Amino acid sequence: MVPIKGTIVPARATSTRENYAIGIAQALKEDIGTKPPAIKTIMRWTGASDRAVKYWLTGERGPGGWHLIQLARNSDAVLHAFLHMAGRDLFEVSIELNAAQASLTRAAAIISALAPRR
């Protein structure tokens, strides 16, 4: 009798890769939707094909390296999803604090400009 050799493949379970693809898909849908203009927008941001973008939006596949960088550059939702998946939620808080500080600085400048001069 010949022993059985080869790789044992475990039963299909939700993998980290699938969670990644679904997380990016949810972030994209939340940010810009799934209509054809959204697909074209994502294509412009990343230079990816329409088929790739459709896979990303359905969560069947996730964007790789350079495409993920381009998505995070253009979509706050994707950046936040990526940071959450990477376990960098504190870094996300610092980004929010910087944005809040910039908004407050702008608001203070507007108030100063509108205030009557004495």
Side-chain angles (χ1 to χ4, degrees):
M1 175 162 235
V2 178
I4 298 174
K5 294 184 179 181
T7 305
I8 297 173
V9 179
R12 184 167 172 93
T14 304
S15 69
T16 305
R17 184 176 297 226
E18 289 170 342
N19 289 337
Y20 161 71
I22 291 168
I24 296 298
Q26 289 172 345
L28 286 170
K29 289 175 189 175
E30 171 189 316
D31 200 16
I32 61 173
T34 59
K35 302 287 187 207
I39 293 169
K40 290 183 180 185
T41 299
I42 296 169
M43 289 171 60
R44 273 194 308 275
W45 287 350
T46 62
S49 69
D50 64 332
R51 180 175 291 182
V53 172
K54 288 175 185 175
Y55 279 134
W56 299 343
L57 288 170
T58 61
E60 285 185 51
R61 298 179 185 164
W66 181 249
H67 290 141
L68 179 60
I69 291 169
Q70 295 305 313
L71 287 172
R73 177 178 289 159
N74 290 286
S75 170
D76 288 341
V78 171
L79 176 61
H80 293 295
F82 174 75
L83 290 173
H84 178 72
M85 286 185 267
R88 298 294 197 146
D89 293 322
L90 291 177
F91 188 69
E92 182 177 341
V93 170
S94 73
I95 291 171
E96 293 296 325
L97 288 174
N98 285 339
Q101 184 179 18
S103 295
L104 288 172
T105 303
R106 266 186 261 123
I110 291 169
I111 290 171
S112 309
L114 295 175
R117 308 241 185 235
R118 295 181 196 192

